[in-house]
Amino acid sequence: MPPTGGAGPHLIGGVVVDTDGSPVPGVAVYLTGGPGPFPDVAALTGADGRFSFSVSTEGMYTVQCRAPDGRSAQAAAAVGTGGAATVVLRLG
């Protein structure tokens, strides 16, 4: 049965895309804010531009990324009782 309370695990996942919507591999994605503890690690996007993190607490998280060429993006992820949040980070 999936969790229904404040304790995880909960998933934050998504994709990093460029300005034309194509997925971007090899981008470092990390959490910079959120309720309670969250992992202090970076995930690298796969060939399909996708990434995911597991967090233990519901609430609002800030997800940021930085591509090897210096482009970056930021988005908010709302993790609720459904246990998952999906974001799209569009590199500028």
Side-chain angles (χ1 to χ4, degrees):
M1 179 175 271
T4 57
H10 303 286
L11 185 67
I12 298 174
V15 63
V16 176
V17 298
D18 59 19
T19 54
D20 68 4
S22 298
V24 183
V27 175
V29 182
Y30 42 92
L31 301 173
T32 59
F38 54 87
D40 186 20
V41 297
L44 286 179
T45 58
D48 60 358
R50 297 202 171 276
F51 65 90
S52 66
F53 290 100
S54 180
V55 295
S56 61
T57 306
E58 295 173 6
M60 291 297 295
Y61 289 84
T62 303
V63 183
Q64 292 184 339
C65 71
R66 180 165 304 276
D69 64 6
R71 293 181 296 163
S72 63
Q74 176 176 309
V79 176
T81 56
T86 303
V87 297
V88 175
L89 294 162
R90 186 173 301 274
L91 295 172

